[in-house]
Amino acid sequence: MQTPERGSTFTASLGSRRSFSDDVSHLPTVSDPDVQKAFKELMALNWDEIPNSVQDDVKKALSKNTEDKTGKEVLENVFRAAIAVEEFSGMLIQLRMGIDDTLGLSGENSRPLPGELKDALRVVYQRYTAYLDSLSPSETYLRKKVETELGTRMIHLKMRCGGLNSEWGKVTVIGTSGLSGSYIEQRA
């Protein structure tokens, strides 16, 4: 009698083998160890405030003479996105503080938002969606990271203000998107 292949009981119970994440985008291949280390550091960080040590590691990896041109390009794109998200997060925090100053922290001064705050919310939403739309299909991992980083702040704004356009309903925090290309998926 042959030894059953590992997982064959599960396969037999389903009737066929099925891959549940065929359409999930994985992290890009980076072959240079220094570039890969800097890339992984950036992807693992919260982009609200990027530590100087990580920025130094990224700049060192980008200035390195390596044959992994694709890896350097990926790292450069992720680094630019991280810096952009860091700056945009600062703007979202300032906007949230402006709303809190106007309405009160618990909404005790509830009233319609002044025109300047409404305009700021509209511009923030437009820039957020324009940035996400600018990412190519091959940068799905980056799009998901940006959605995760900025989505929470955008939802805080959405929750804080009533009467926003229906387009704000599209702003979500992709809770499971972090699994794409993550350690968990790599182990599966």
Side-chain angles (χ1 to χ4, degrees), residues 77-131:
N77 288 338
V78 170
F79 187 51
R80 277 191 296 235
I83 297 298
V85 165
E86 183 180 40
E87 291 175 11
F88 197 74
S89 289
M91 286 187 258
L92 294 177
I93 290 168
Q94 288 178 347
L95 181 57
R96 171 76 193 267
M97 288 171 35
I99 292 170
D100 288 346
D101 289 346
T102 302
L103 302 179
L105 288 176
S106 63
E108 63 269 12
N109 300 328
S110 183
R111 63 178 182 260
L113 284 176
E116 63 204 25
L117 287 177
K118 283 183 183 178
D119 291 342
L121 283 168
R122 183 179 40 77
V123 168
V124 159
Y125 179 81
Q126 288 172 346
R127 289 186 180 168
Y128 172 75
T129 56
Y131 186 67

Side-chain angles (χ1 to χ4, degrees), residues 40-97:
K40 285 184 175 183
E41 277 182 310
L42 270 179
M43 291 300 286
L45 280 177
N46 180 323
W47 289 352
D48 285 343
E49 190 173 333
I50 303 165
N52 289 335
S53 60
V54 173
Q55 290 187 38
D56 292 342
D57 288 347
V58 169
K59 289 174 185 175
K60 181 180 167 186
L62 289 174
S63 66
K64 180 181 179 182
N65 189 12
T66 179
E67 292 182 19
D68 187 10
K69 303 299 181 204
T70 304
K72 280 179 73 170
E73 183 179 331
V74 165
L75 177 60
E76 188 173 19
N77 288 338
V78 170
F79 187 51
R80 277 191 296 235
I83 297 298
V85 165
E86 183 180 40
E87 291 175 11
F88 197 74
S89 289
M91 286 187 258
L92 294 177
I93 290 168
Q94 288 178 347
L95 181 57
R96 171 76 193 267
M97 288 171 35

Side-chain angles (χ1 to χ4, degrees), residues 46-48 85 88-89 92 96 124-125 128-129 131-132 142-159 168-175 177:
N46 180 323
W47 289 352
D48 285 343
V85 165
F88 197 74
S89 289
L92 294 177
R96 171 76 193 267
V124 159
Y125 179 81
Y128 172 75
T129 56
Y131 186 67
L132 288 178
L142 187 53
R143 180 185 175 96
K144 289 179 181 185
K145 177 69 173 168
V146 170
E147 284 177 327
T148 302
E149 293 293 327
L150 292 177
T152 302
R153 296 214 188 279
M154 295 290 288
I155 286 179
H156 288 159
L157 288 174
K158 180 172 88 170
M159 290 172 27
W168 276 79
K170 298 176 187 172
V171 175
T172 60
V173 177
I174 310 295
S177 70

Side-chain angles (χ1 to χ4, degrees), residues 7-41:
S8 63
T9 305
F10 179 71
T11 303
S13 67
L14 286 178
S16 66
R17 180 170 262 172
R18 180 175 175 205
S19 177
F20 290 101
S21 60
D22 278 343
D23 62 341
V24 176
S25 172
H26 296 282
L27 295 174
T29 303
V30 179
S31 60
D32 184 277
D34 294 330
V35 174
Q36 184 180 39
K37 178 182 176 266
F39 172 77
K40 285 184 175 183
E41 277 182 310

